[in-house]
Amino acid sequence: MHKPVINHTIAEALAKVTARIRQAAQAAGRNRETVRLIAVSKTQAAAAVAQAYAAGQRDFGENYVQEALEKQAELKAFADIQWHFIGPIQSNKTRPIAENFAWIHSIDREKIAQRLNDQRPKEMPPAQVCLQVNIDDESTKSGVSLNELPALAKAVSQMPRLQLRGLMAIPAANNSPEQQHQAFRKLHNALRELQAQGYAVDTLSMGMSGDLEAAIAEGSTMVRVGTDIFGARTKP
């Protein structure tokens, strides 16, 4: 792919999201650099990713394996892109995820973690991983329960091809800032408990377009934003 021409719509949207992150960090008494923006590019064309790249974005989140692989092949010239897998992980898709992503945010059971570990190429650095927590105990969402989290963290921390970095959650959609804060605070408390047990975890992947301010106030280190950067999605 040739060097992309900057799409000013995407560039302007990125600038607005970055400004929101900066303002939220300042309000929380935090450095803007402690919050990493993951541009969620699922269902977006490779050209849209290239345009965001031209505007300075380097971290991209994908949910669908085959779509992501096609996009990565088209964008292989952009070697400094950091690809994050953020969707549910099926057992039959662990190999391509292990082979093609720097970060994996959505590990929710030991079986999946073990497959990712076993299938991570030896010539690659360990995958940076987060454990997905079902913070509101929603039956329709993936994620380990808070009660089961310690056992999963122990298992993953012993896998040499995975580096346990922290936790991820997608709280129930809620327009109440108070309830948004409560959910994110619960995840931050879970991270603190792991730290107290001796785990070297430092990442909270939480917050999206509608609630990133609350997430940053409660300690998020990675926010995942799609629609506010790329516009409305089409179905994959």
Side-chain angles (χ1 to χ4, degrees):
M1 174 175 285
H2 299 298
K3 183 178 179 181
V5 176
I6 292 181
N7 178 307
H8 290 287
T9 302
I10 289 178
E12 290 165 5
L14 265 171
K16 288 179 182 177
V17 172
T18 299
R20 285 178 64 193
I21 293 171
R22 182 174 61 252
Q23 290 162 6
Q26 288 174 346
R30 298 177 57 192
N31 187 323
R32 157 69 184 92
E33 300 307 313
T34 64
V35 185
R36 194 165 168 181
L37 171 60
I38 313 301
V40 179
S41 46
K42 67 176 182 181
T43 78
Q44 300 295 334
V49 175
Q51 289 156 4
Y53 180 94
Q57 180 64 24
R58 293 296 180 268
D59 291 279
F60 293 91
E62 293 284 332
N63 289 57
Y64 309 113
V65 176
Q66 191 56 44
E67 177 200 333
L69 297 181
E70 292 169 3
K71 221 172 287 185
Q72 289 174 354
E74 196 169 340
L75 298 167
K76 62 184 177 183
F78 306 149
D80 57 340
I81 286 181
Q82 289 271 295
W83 293 102
H84 299 247
F85 192 81
I86 60 175
I89 303 174
Q90 299 172 321
S91 294
N92 63 348
K93 299 291 177 62
T94 53
R95 184 174 295 279
I97 294 171
E99 292 176 345
N100 292 282
F101 288 86
W103 280 80
I104 304 168
H105 292 232
S106 45
I107 293 176
D108 62 356
R109 54 198 189 279
E110 185 176 350
K111 173 188 173 183
I112 291 294
Q114 190 64 61
R115 288 177 64 88
L116 291 166
N117 176 77
D118 295 346
Q119 294 166 345
R120 181 73 170 178
K122 298 294 189 290
E123 66 274 13
M124 294 179 72
Q128 309 298 294
V129 304
C130 293
L131 308 182
Q132 182 172 353
V133 179
N134 190 341
I135 204 70
D136 292 315
D137 294 322
E138 294 179 273
S139 60
T140 57
K141 279 187 184 164
S142 302
V144 65
S145 70
L146 285 171
N147 288 337
E148 296 168 331
L149 177 61
L152 182 59
K154 181 178 180 180
V156 173
S157 70
Q158 296 170 349
M159 297 179 186
R161 306 301 300 147
L162 305 181
Q163 183 174 351
L164 179 59
R165 293 295 300 272
L167 304 176
M168 184 270 260
I170 307 171
N174 202 309
N175 292 325
S176 162
E178 181 181 347
Q179 292 185 345
Q180 290 175 359
H181 279 265
Q182 287 177 354
F184 293 134
R185 191 174 305 135
K186 201 184 300 184
L187 192 70
H188 198 171
N189 287 339
L191 185 81
R192 288 193 181 107
E193 288 178 16
L194 292 180
Q195 290 169 334
Q197 293 164 22
Y199 294 101
V201 286
D202 59 5
T203 300
L204 282 170
S205 173
M206 61 186 195
M208 298 185 287
S209 294
D211 55 15
L212 67 82
E213 284 83 3
I216 290 170
E218 297 298 338
S220 175
T221 63
M222 288 187 176
V223 293
R224 309 179 306 273
V225 179
T227 304
D228 280 6
I229 295 172
F230 296 108
R233 298 187 180 97
T234 56
K235 290 185 178 180

